[in-house]
Amino acid sequence: MIALPLAILYWFLAGPALLLAALSLRGERKRAHYVARRLAERPEDLPPATVIVPVKGYDEGLRENLGALAALDYPDFELIVTAHSAGDIPPGVLPARAKVVLAHGTDSASCEKVQNLLAAVRAARKRTSVLAFADSDGRVTSGWLRALVAPLSEPGVGASTGYRWFLPDPPDFWSLMRGVWDAVAAGTLGAGDNRFAWGGAMAIRKEVFFEVRVPEFWQGALSDDYALSQAVHAAGLGIAYAPGALTPCGDHITAGRFFGWIYRQMAITRIYAPRLWWPGLIAHIFYCGGMAASVIASIRGNRLAEWALIAQVSPGMLKGLNRATLAKASLPEHEAWFKRHAWVHAIWVPLGTWVWLIALVSSAFARSIEWRGRRYALKRGGKS
């Protein structure tokens, strides 16, 4: 038996963890219906578009990634590859149809990526109606741009977003763990207004881009996508999720780079989206505290704690499997990868929960981050 004070402590941790686990499955059916509906869309309104991708040195598969952007199934678009200087673009990676814009930015208040994006927007052709943004480490599918453009004609939609899905092949532990960790954010995207747009797959009508004052929100910004999201929401518009713009990322990562990457992701989130960061921290303290308490109580012979542990981890594992199922529906070209490796998105979820706690706690003390070879100070309000 557990002594009364220990029992109170146990249920203080395990009770909220059980409640959070049960609540985590809310909306999963609605999200699945939304994804199916969006994937079945065949948009007819496909206005001229400009696709902008910043490049800063070499990414694994960079030539193929840029080639995929140049080969999009879209009737009228231009591809702009933007960088600070010519030396940032490795030789032999540019597709023939790419237009290169060099920013040579000197604004010390804004991050280099934002300066490059602003230069590319200024260089976009006049007849462009839609601005779409990609990242150089993703290899988009042919329908990526069609999927992003589709929601933009709907009332109240200011911007659209896809997300990334890590598909390392051949897989290794840390590359797979990054996918399991990052997929949690993908699982928050669905019907209605979404809290953020992801910079590797986001689109906005050019007139809306200027009406909601995105260039002003980008001035002094460290995060292009969070700042654009703030601009859209400040104007009373929403962000629509486009599952057809889910972007495969096949690069690999080492343990050191992985922990540096999640630290940077959460540090930026703490500054730009504290309403996401704080609930995440509190939830994972109870998740992990409840999990640890149940393990300890189970070792001491408490059978109820064994069932409580199963009840805590099962919903998260089920949700992880559902995330992978919806990602497979969005990326049918990669069905073989999902058949071999999707199981990690269920089995590794408990471990991923602890990694989330590590990332959130470590980012609480972040004062600066290193990004693409440069160090940026973190300041209140999201300005670098």
Side-chain angles (χ1 to χ4, degrees), residues 59-60 135 137-139 163-186 198 246-253 257-258 261-262 264-265 323-324 327-328 331 334 337-338 341-342 344-345:
D59 288 301
E60 185 178 337
D135 276 350
D137 58 354
R139 191 167 304 171
Y163 201 67
R164 65 190 158 219
W165 193 272
F166 289 102
L167 299 165
D169 195 13
D172 60 72
F173 177 82
W174 291 110
S175 299
L176 287 173
M177 176 52 67
R178 176 170 62 172
V180 172
W181 185 89
D182 194 59
V184 173
W198 174 61
L246 191 65
T247 303
C249 296
D251 58 325
H252 296 76
I253 198 166
R257 285 181 54 223
F258 169 72
W261 182 76
I262 63 175
R264 185 174 71 245
Q265 298 296 312
R323 288 193 291 262
K328 183 174 72 172
L331 298 171
H334 297 275
W337 187 93
F338 284 97
H341 307 301
V344 301
H345 285 273

Side-chain angles (χ1 to χ4, degrees), residues 11-212:
W11 286 112
F12 174 77
L13 294 170
L18 286 166
L19 179 61
L20 288 167
L23 293 177
S24 69
L25 294 177
R26 289 183 308 166
E28 285 299 291
R29 181 173 296 181
K30 180 181 179 181
R31 200 168 82 89
H33 287 315
Y34 174 82
V35 169
R37 178 175 65 81
R38 281 291 188 196
L39 293 177
E41 287 180 334
R42 297 295 180 265
E44 296 180 359
D45 181 18
L46 299 173
T50 294
V51 177
I52 298 171
V53 54
V55 171
K56 178 69 173 177
Y58 181 75
D59 288 301
E60 185 178 337
L62 177 60
R63 184 170 69 88
E64 292 77 11
N65 297 345
L66 296 179
L69 286 167
L72 290 167
D73 178 18
Y74 197 87
D76 186 3
F77 78 99
E78 67 170 344
L79 173 63
I80 294 180
V81 175
T82 183
H84 173 73
S85 61
D88 289 330
I89 304 177
V93 300
L94 291 173
R97 69 173 297 169
K99 174 181 176 180
V100 176
V101 173
L102 302 178
H104 297 295
T106 58
D107 180 9
S108 60
S110 302
C111 76
E112 188 176 288
K113 181 182 180 182
V114 163
Q115 296 179 64
N116 296 345
L117 294 180
L118 284 170
V121 169
R122 289 192 293 267
R125 58 189 183 176
K126 291 184 178 180
R127 74 171 186 272
T128 280
S129 296
V130 171
L131 299 170
F133 302 91
D135 276 350
S136 58
D137 58 354
R139 191 167 304 171
V140 302
T141 60
S142 61
W144 178 87
L145 185 53
R146 286 177 177 263
L148 280 176
V149 168
L152 296 180
S153 60
E154 299 172 4
V157 172
S160 62
T161 186
Y163 201 67
R164 65 190 158 219
W165 193 272
F166 289 102
L167 299 165
D169 195 13
D172 60 72
F173 177 82
W174 291 110
S175 299
L176 287 173
M177 176 52 67
R178 176 170 62 172
V180 172
W181 185 89
D182 194 59
V184 173
T188 67
L189 298 169
D193 180 31
N194 290 271
R195 294 185 177 184
F196 65 91
W198 174 61
M202 64 183 182
I204 185 171
R205 288 191 176 270
K206 186 167 68 174
E207 61 180 357
V208 175
F209 180 87
F210 290 104
E211 286 174 359
V212 304

Side-chain angles (χ1 to χ4, degrees), residues 200-325:
M202 64 183 182
I204 185 171
R205 288 191 176 270
K206 186 167 68 174
E207 61 180 357
V208 175
F209 180 87
F210 290 104
E211 286 174 359
V212 304
R213 302 180 294 117
V214 173
E216 293 181 32
F217 277 78
W218 274 357
Q219 290 298 322
L222 181 58
S223 171
D224 59 303
D225 43 15
Y226 273 134
L228 183 143
S229 302
Q230 289 175 350
V232 170
H233 285 145
L237 298 174
I239 298 171
Y241 175 50
L246 191 65
T247 303
C249 296
D251 58 325
H252 296 76
I253 198 166
T254 61
R257 285 181 54 223
F258 169 72
F259 283 106
W261 182 76
I262 63 175
Y263 167 84
R264 185 174 71 245
Q265 298 296 312
M266 289 298 98
I268 292 174
T269 301
R270 179 174 64 86
I271 295 297
Y272 276 91
R275 292 183 179 181
L276 290 175
W277 187 88
W278 276 106
L281 174 64
I282 295 169
H284 281 83
I285 288 173
F286 280 104
Y287 268 131
C288 295
M291 200 183 305
S294 291
V295 169
I296 294 171
S298 297
I299 293 173
R300 292 180 173 180
N302 187 294
R303 298 299 301 275
L304 180 60
E306 294 177 9
W307 288 105
L309 179 61
I310 294 172
Q312 287 174 46
V313 301
S314 295
M317 295 170 70
L318 181 60
K319 189 168 183 175
L321 183 61
N322 189 54
R323 288 193 291 262
T325 300

